[in-house]
Each structure stands twice: as structure tokens, then as C-alpha cells.
Amino acid sequence: LSRYREAEKYLLKALKMAKTGPEPLPRTAIDCLEGLCYIYGAQARYDEAEQCFIRALQIFEENNLPESSKISSLYKDYGNMLMDQDRLEEAESTYRTSYEIRERVCSTDSVDLAESLNNIGLLYIRMGRYDEAEENLRRALRLREDYFGPDHSFLIYPLTGLGELFTVLEEYETADAFYQRALAICGIHYDSDHLHTGWCLKGLADTRRFRGLYPEAEEYYGQALVVEENALGTENTAVAEILHCQALLHGSTGEYVKALEAYERMMSSRQEFIANQFRGSSEDQKLRFLGIHPLIVNSLFSCALSDPSVETRRMSLEMVLKGKAVALEAVSAEKEIAWCSDMPEIREMAEGWLGICGQISDLSITRAMVGDVGTIVWEIDSLGELKDSLQKQMSVLCSEAAQELEARRFDISDVATSIADSAVLCEIVRYEPYDFSATGNDRERTGRPRYLAFTLDHEETISLSDLGDASVIDSLVRLARRMIYDAGSGLDVRSDRITILEARLRDVTQKLHDMVFAPIETALGGRRDLFICPDGELNLLPFEILPRPGGRFLIEDYCISYLSTGRDLLRFEEEPERSDWALLVAAPDFDCSSAQSGSPNFASVQFDQTTSRSVSDCWSDEFHPLPSGLSEAESIRELLETKAEMNVSLYFGAEAREEIIKTMSDPPFLIHFATHGFFCEDVDVTAVHMIENPLLRSGIALANANAVFRNAGTADSQSEDGILTAFEVSGLNLVGTELAVLSACETGVGDIRTGEGVFGLRRAFQHAGARAVIMSLWKVPDIETGHLMNEFYRCWLGGASKKEALRQSALKIIEVNRNNQGHTHPLFWGAFVLVGDSH
């Protein structure tokens, strides 16, 4: 790493001289930029590498330079960087451009083509196009053999590529022969600690491990690790990969102490690498890094299940606590520092980010509902690049964010200390099991996804339970949710049929209880206060609705709240500065037909008893008025003013505008929405333009929202459209906001990403800085929602914790429905959950 930095220093100096000397030297500048592109890519400093690539191409075009192998090489280096980021389609296009330039400036059988052919071959291995990979790699090898002879160092690249290919194809003896030949060539040209030697040794170790030749594999891995660490340092992805392979090997031989040592070193290496890459990167880039170099390694869980020692369970749980939701935490920390900064330029960037989020949202929803899609896509892409650029600049300038994340280093003891004696933390992980007893490659040893649950209490007691096949659990969650949706859709839910529907639902949720909660309950020791950190589809299941004997529910026996990760408990010990005002937004006039400051025109609307706080068939119908939203908000205002002596701003009707939210001078202590919410599945929602970002497919409806349907494409692009998307919420300043209450439908659903949670309004409010969010997991009936919210505030402002207040409000509805309606269907009381600080 130090040599890379030294090379960077000299290249930057040479670049400056080439640009500012007596006579500009464009070719020299391109050479310097190519070198910088290479070393930045090698250090995973991808943004800087990309800028060097773009600038070099600009110099090439500005000076009208002829095509050359130098430009081809530049495209090649950029393609390498794209492949490192798993951007395979872009890499293929870039490699193809490099190859075509070489074809034009060289002959079709020139050795200069070999480099491009080699890169394309390696790419095709990653893409699973094995026949094409072999064709390109063998041609690259032949061209170099014909030109340089059989023992030249340039043959190492296609030889190791072919070794990798035949390893993937499970033709291990063939792969071994290629690696052995490459290693022999390394011995002719390089010292024993050269990086190329490390590649060969690692390849030879793999071919032996996959065949069960563990002693030989262990020796080769040990040699490769020494070479890679000497060449690259300890905080490198290649080093982490070798350590992971060593851990798998030791697990296969039952040497769990050695396996744990390798896992620990591997996790430390990856954590340091990710921490370095997060600085100065956008959220999308952070997520991409984690996708390629995950901080949660599935095989360690299988190791813990095979070796039920305290040390193995402890390390596995610590990996989960440090690896879950790390991108969310990093972005939230940067946002918090930006909004609280005394530096005007940083706050201006944060405000600019919010403005850009609004523009992208308006374009994506309003204008995308009509034609001219090409222009729309171009504008959205341009604004997206500007937003990412601002985010990256903020990440760099918020140097305190790095210090804050450093300060959050912890171990399990720290988390256990933050758990009350009466409480238990439950971390659930969706993982792919690894069979240490099998032979063959890692793909063959990896099984179908399963769920795993850890529990941790104040005494640092750790339990581990394998909950079962994830596909079965996921299908049960989806079935239960569909049954709840069906119960509230087009049905008089107060008829006798609701008891039949409840019984059918109970059959499904009982299976979920037995699979998911029963194994956990054995480790609770009678404690009733639970912090649950779900994963996968379980993010969309309120555990409270799971059945208990005698027609009861889990909510009647346990007090539950949810966290993105158990390490959040450490953050919630800190008491932020809070304001003394609350913002209530209720019953918007979606048509703006009423007087500007008056109530919405409910008198002319006929309401069904089953009115819910959602829009039916996402964006295919208009938003309809809510009869109880205003009375709910007025009741809450009275409670806040009398019990909490808080200043309350209530906006309703035509005044419940999007601008109110976006122009807050200071974040409120509490923000409450009583309106329609929505989440659109990943479909072509407009029949014109696909909206891929889930934060643009979820949101809250405010005043004049129906203009989206009536005036699509004709409204002023600078005016607000009445739809507050999660994308816009993510740019708000809610740092210090104690609670965001989303008293609307489906405000807790979104796209699921294993390890990072739900991408929708939930993530957006956490991005913005809210310490806790109350949200719904399905379409909620209007009347019961109003009752539940009023009871929640009465209990909370009366001294109960947020989680206990929400529990008591749901129990009240259960009691009323059980006594008066003869049923306790979760449709009416189970949708709302609390995520975040539960105190």
C-alpha cells in the first residue's frame, strides 16, 4: 500500500508538469492518468479511478489524437475496475471497446490483442459463459506463446485464467497443470514473494481443497497468504479471501480453533477495507462494496452449528452485530454530521441534496406517467449523478463521520450491558449453510437458504437456533400477509365471515410460530421484553400476531420492538438535543377543493366502513378523503399540549402541503402523519416508465396529490406534486426527532435486502435521523387506526415507554373486538410496529 501511495505522489507530480509546463504534453498526461487509474483501481478507490479515465478520454478527444494501444489500455484498466465492482455488463462493453481499438491499430493476429482477450476471458468466467471464456483465454495464450516463447512472464495471465476456468468447471487436474506451469514461470522471472506467485499458490490450494487434499491445500494457502500480505498489506480483499479459504479448510478438518482464528483475521481485514471504502462513497457504492465483500460470512454460522462452543457462537453473533445494516448506519452518521455542522458549505450540500431528491421524485412520478421517456430518463440520470456527487463530497467533508464510526467500535459485552435484566435481544439472520463434511467446490457445499436466530441477554448468555428452510418460512410470511390483505379487501370485515378468515390465518401463523418463535422462546428464560432484529421476509412479519394457546396472541405475553441491528442499542444510550415542538399533518385535501385554511370537504363523500389509509392498485386510482384523520390529529394535539406542554403545529386540508415538510427550519421532537401511504411493487407502475428505486415507489400522499393523476406531465416541474416519496424523506433533516409516526397504510413495507433491511419509508426516516418510527405493514382500517393512535399517545405521554404504549393500544382494540365483535383478526390491530429507540 505504501508503494501505491508513493507511485501516486510521483504520477500526480508528473501530471501537473505535463499540464502546466511550457508546452502541454497530452500524451504524457494520458500516461499519468492511466497510471493513476490503475493504482486507484488496485486500491478500490473506484471514483477516483473513474475520474482519471474520463479525464484521459477528454484529453484524447480535445487534442484529436489518433487511436492507439495506449487508449485501448486505458479502456482495459477501466474495465478491470468495473469488473472489480461486479458491474459485468459495463465491463464487457468497455473490454470490447479496448479490443476493437487494438484490432484497428494492430493486425488481427497481433500479440497486442492478447491482453484484451485475456480480460474478456476472465470476465466470461464471472458471467458463466465458459465456452467463450476458454476460447478467448486459449487464443490469448497462443498469441503470447507464438510471440514470446513458452516461458515468458506474459504467459502467467492466460495460464492462471485457464486455471481459474477449469477450477470452476471442476476439472481440477487440468486446472492444476495450468497453475503449475504459471508458478514455474514465476520462479524464472520473479522473487518468491511476488504477487503473481501468490495467485498461483492460491489457485493450487483451491484445487487441492476442493478434492479434499487438505494438508497440501493448507501448505499452499499458508505460502500464498505470506506473499499476498507482503505485497498488499493486511487490509486487502485478496488477503481476506485467502483467510476465508483457510477457515473453510480448518472447518472441514474439524480444527475449529484454527478456523476461528482465520475467521477473526478475515473479518478484521474486511471491516477495515469496508471502512476505508465507505469514506467518500455514495450509498449505492457502499451497498455495492458490501455485495462484493460482505461483512457477514455465511460459513461461520455453519461452523458455529457444527462446533457449539461459546467462542464460536460469540464470534458469529459479533459478526452479525458488526455486519448488519452498516451502509444505513454510515449514511445516517454522515447525514447527522452534515445537518449539525457549523460549516456552511456542508449544510448547503445537505440542503442541495434534499432539493435534488425532490426534483428526481417529481420527474419519476409526475412526468414519467406520460411520453418523452428518453428525456425523462436522461434528466433523472443526470440529477442522480449530481446527487451522488454531493453525497460523496459530504462523505469526504464530514471527516467526523469516520471518527464517529471509529468510536462505535464495540464487542458483545458492550451490547449486553445495554440490555435490561428483563429484556433479550434476538438477532435473526438469513444465511446459506455450508457443508464442511462434503468435498467439491464451495458452490456444491452450499445449501438452500435458512434462518438462524441468536439471543443475547444482560449476562452475555448467547443461544443459537437454526429456524429452518428460509423458502418455507418466507412463503408462510407471504401467505399470511396475503390472507390479511384479502380480509380487508372488498369484504364487509364486520360480518360473521371474519371469524372464519381469522381461523384460517391462525393455521398459517401457528406454523410460523412453531418454526420461528418456539425455538427462540426456549432461550428467553421467562423474560417478556424483546428486541427483535429480523432479516429477509421476516422484516414484514409483526411477531405480535403469532398465536398462543387459548386464542391469545404473542402480543399478550410479550412486549416487542424492532431494531435494524442490535448495535443500535448502543447508539440509543446517547441522548441527543431535542426541540420542543411537534408537527402533525392530517387529512390532506387531495384535490385542494376546500378553502385554503379550512377543513377538507368530507360532507359530500360517502365512506364505507372498510375505508383504509391506502390508494388501491398503486397509482391507478385517486386518493380518497379519510374521515377520521383530522379528529385523530386534533385529539393528539390536545394530548401533546396538555400532557407534554409542547408547541404543536397542525396542518390539514389544503394546508397539509409537501412544502411544510421540506421547509422546516428545525427538526421537530415528533412528526405525525395521518393520511394515505403507499408502496408499489417492482413493476411497471405507469405502463410508460419503470421506476426501479424502491424509495421512489413508496411514500405519503399530501394536499393536491390527485393532480398527479389529473395533470400528469402538464404541471410546473418546479412546484410540489403532493406526493412525499421515501426518496425525498431520506433527504430531510430529522436529526433529534424522537419519533416519526406514519399513521397510514404500508409505511413499513418495501424492497427487502438481506442484511440491510427494508428499502422504503422505514429506511428513509432512519436516513433522515429519526430515532424511532411507528409504521404499518399492511393496509390499515381508518377507524381502528384512529383509536389505536389516540390510545398510544395517551399511554406514552402518561409515562409508558413507546413500545409498551403501542402494545397497550393494540391490546385495547383486541379486547374491544373480542368482546363486541366476536373476533380478534390482526387486520385491525396488528399492522403497526415500532422500529428504533423503544424508550
Side-chain angles (χ1 to χ4, degrees), residues 71-89:
I71 296 303
S72 173
S73 181
L74 187 65
Y75 273 99
K76 176 263 300 181
D77 288 337
Y78 184 51
N80 293 344
M81 184 196 71
L82 291 170
M83 193 158 77
D84 286 344
Q85 298 177 80
D86 213 30
R87 295 159 64 181
L88 302 185
E89 288 76 16

Side-chain angles (χ1 to χ4, degrees), residues 618-636:
C618 192
W619 293 350
S620 64
D621 193 8
E622 295 184 357
F623 296 98
H624 301 294
L626 293 169
S628 64
L630 181 57
S631 59
E632 172 187 317
E634 287 177 331
S635 175
I636 292 169

Side-chain angles (χ1 to χ4, degrees), residues 538-782:
L538 289 173
N539 277 288
L540 302 182
L541 173 73
F543 280 61
E544 292 90 335
I545 72 169
L546 298 180
R548 304 290 281 176
R552 294 166 58 81
F553 294 92
L554 207 64
I555 192 173
E556 297 179 84
D557 294 333
Y558 292 93
C559 186
I560 301 172
S561 64
Y562 300 87
L563 299 168
S564 298
T565 166
R567 69 176 180 275
D568 283 344
L569 293 172
L570 300 175
R571 182 163 55 90
F572 295 149
E573 291 181 334
E574 305 168 6
E575 289 292 331
E577 293 184 10
R578 297 186 175 96
S579 62
D580 61 352
W581 74 288
L583 174 62
L584 310 182
V585 181
D589 186 346
F590 304 116
D591 301 309
C592 281
S593 58
S594 58
Q596 197 165 38
S597 59
S599 301
N601 186 14
F602 290 144
S604 62
V605 180
Q606 297 298 314
F607 294 105
D608 192 298
Q609 280 189 314
T610 62
T611 300
S612 67
R613 299 189 179 191
S614 73
V615 58
S616 61
D617 300 325
C618 192
W619 293 350
S620 64
D621 193 8
E622 295 184 357
F623 296 98
H624 301 294
L626 293 169
S628 64
L630 181 57
S631 59
E632 172 187 317
E634 287 177 331
S635 175
I636 292 169
R637 175 172 62 179
E638 182 180 357
L639 287 169
L640 290 169
E641 289 175 341
T642 57
K643 287 182 173 284
E645 298 182 349
M646 191 171 293
N647 298 316
V648 181
S649 296
L650 169 59
Y651 295 92
F652 62 93
E655 290 298 312
R657 304 189 314 274
E658 199 176 347
E659 296 94 322
I660 297 298
I661 315 301
K662 294 182 178 180
T663 58
M664 295 183 297
S665 58
D666 296 301
F669 173 81
L670 166 76
I671 185 168
H672 180 105
F673 293 93
T675 181
H676 286 298
F678 64 87
F679 173 71
C680 300
E681 298 294 339
D682 190 8
V683 295
D684 190 348
V685 293
T686 65
V688 176
H689 179 58
M690 177 76 75
I691 297 179
E692 297 178 353
N693 189 332
L695 298 189
L696 289 166
R697 290 186 273 112
S698 55
I700 295 168
L702 298 171
N704 205 33
N706 285 337
V708 170
F709 305 98
R710 295 173 184 170
N711 307 312
T714 63
D716 180 1
S717 63
Q718 301 302 313
S719 63
E720 301 293 355
D721 58 14
I723 303 291
L724 182 68
T725 65
F727 194 72
E728 293 171 291
V729 171
S730 69
L732 295 175
N733 176 15
L734 297 179
V735 176
T737 295
E738 178 66 23
L739 177 63
V741 179
L742 312 182
S743 182
C745 287
E746 302 177 299
T747 48
V749 299
D751 281 3
I752 304 295
R753 179 158 180 162
T754 299
E756 277 292 322
V758 181
F759 282 67
L761 281 166
R762 166 182 172 173
R763 189 179 185 88
F765 276 93
Q766 290 174 311
H767 262 189
R771 284 172 68 90
V773 184
I774 290 179
M775 58 192 190
S776 63
L777 294 177
W778 52 75
K779 295 177 181 179
V780 293
D782 187 44

